Amino acid sequence: MTKTDIRADQLSMALTRMRVGHGIDVHPFAPIMDKGCPSNSFCTLGGVAIPHAQTLVGHSDADALLHALTDALLGAAGKPDIGHFFPDTDASLKGISSLTLLSRAWKMLLEEGFSLINADCCLLAEAPRVAPYIDKMKETIGGALVLPTSRISIKASTTERLGFVGRGEGITASAVVLLLAPEGQD
């Protein structure tokens, strides 16, 4: 047996510690000039400012991708959702970077002994076109989670002009993560 071989008992132990989490988030667009909408020419997705004629609306920076990823992490650890830890009723969180929220949630899980195996994310949007920004998103997320970009997947698709996403009214994001729970956790 080589050092890289895994014994059946080791595999069985690892499998009992694996936790899968799934998160979904939706945010609407608002024209830049709408009342209450920040005057910028970008929307933030995956922690990256992407040029766009509209911005996403939310209590934080409305980064749907990072919100879905945060919920997936929390769910895999058996925790309540992002709104429990970072409620939109908390005025101190108004306009906060979702990267900060992701980092805070991940730090909490790290302190409990969780390890992140991988993250798989998907954006549904007619616009903006995110393909040119995916590598930067992976780097940004990898930095926040201290995870190699090779273990982060980000995909983007349209809804073929169907539904609110297809009409350009907003964005939907989903994420799935695989965590390894600390030893001894049921």
Side-chain angles (χ1 to χ4, degrees):
M1 184 181 307
T2 68
K3 288 183 180 181
T4 58
D5 288 338
I6 298 175
R7 296 187 331 251
D9 61 326
Q10 290 173 318
L11 180 58
S12 178
M13 172 78 75
L15 290 174
T16 61
R17 293 176 50 209
M18 289 184 181
R19 305 287 189 268
V20 175
H22 181 224
I24 297 175
D25 196 50
V26 173
H27 279 279
F29 279 122
I32 298 303
M33 302 317 272
D34 272 6
K35 185 177 182 177
C37 186
S39 60
N40 54 24
S41 58
F42 65 90
C43 63
T44 303
L45 292 168
V48 176
I50 299 173
H52 191 51
Q54 295 177 305
T55 190
L56 292 166
V57 178
H59 185 69
S60 66
D61 63 5
D63 188 328
L65 180 62
L66 294 186
H67 293 177
L69 181 54
T70 302
D71 265 346
L73 288 167
L74 292 168
K79 305 286 185 199
D81 68 10
I82 190 173
H84 174 83
F85 294 101
F86 312 109
D88 62 6
T89 55
D90 184 341
S92 72
L93 299 174
K94 180 71 175 156
I96 194 168
S97 166
S98 297
L99 201 55
T100 299
L101 302 179
L102 175 67
S103 295
R104 288 180 185 174
W106 181 233
K107 181 180 179 194
M108 177 179 59
L109 299 183
L110 274 175
E111 288 171 354
E112 292 184 21
F114 285 93
S115 301
L116 180 56
I117 306 300
N118 74 308
D120 184 23
C121 309
C122 186
L123 279 164
L124 290 177
E126 295 296 322
R129 182 166 156 67
V130 299
Y133 303 95
I134 287 177
D135 286 342
K136 181 64 178 165
M137 288 180 197
K138 289 172 64 172
E139 289 172 16
T140 302
I141 292 168
L145 300 176
V146 192
L147 188 68
T149 59
S150 61
R151 293 176 20 199
I152 301 168
S153 173
I154 300 174
K155 302 169 296 299
S157 188
T158 68
T159 60
E160 302 298 332
R161 303 193 195 291
L162 298 174
F164 76 92
V165 171
R167 291 188 299 273
E169 296 169 8
I171 284 180
T172 297
S174 68
V176 177
V177 300
L178 179 61
L179 291 183
L180 191 60
E183 284 191 50
Q185 186 175 25
D186 291 2

